Amino acid sequence: MSAYIGSFSHILLDAFMHHDVYFFYPWILKNPLLHIIPYSLIFYSCIFTAIFGGISWLYLSKYKK
C-alpha cells in the first residue's frame, strides 16, 4: 500500500515540475499540470512534511508505549 501511494504521489509531484512527465498518459499527451504550482512551494513543502513526519515519529516512538 505504501509503495502504491508513494509511486503515484511521486508521479503527481513530478508532473508539476517536469515537462516530460505525462500524468494522464494514455489520454492526454501533454502535461497540463506543468507550472501550476511553483517549484519552490513543492520543494519546501516536501522538506516541511519530512521534518514534521520525523519529529512526529520520534515523539510517538518515545512517549507512546
Side-chain angles (χ1 to χ4, degrees), residues 13-34:
L13 289 174
D14 278 351
F16 288 112
M17 293 187 289
H18 302 288
H19 66 87
D20 58 345
V21 174
Y22 305 117
F23 189 67
F24 307 106
Y25 169 65
W27 303 284
I28 301 173
L29 296 179
K30 293 182 181 179
N31 188 354
L33 302 176
L34 187 63

Side-chain angles (χ1 to χ4, degrees), residues 3-65:
Y4 185 79
I5 292 170
S7 297
F8 282 103
S9 66
H10 188 92
I11 293 170
L12 179 65
L13 289 174
D14 278 351
F16 288 112
M17 293 187 289
H18 302 288
H19 66 87
D20 58 345
V21 174
Y22 305 117
F23 189 67
F24 307 106
Y25 169 65
W27 303 284
I28 301 173
L29 296 179
K30 293 182 181 179
N31 188 354
L33 302 176
L34 187 63
H35 300 302
I36 290 177
I37 300 174
Y39 177 78
S40 60
L41 181 63
I42 296 170
F43 180 74
Y44 290 123
S45 64
C46 287
I47 291 174
F48 174 75
T49 55
I51 292 170
F52 180 74
I55 291 171
S56 298
W57 179 77
L58 287 173
Y59 176 79
L60 290 174
S61 67
K62 185 174 183 179
Y63 294 110
K64 187 90 173 185
K65 289 186 178 186

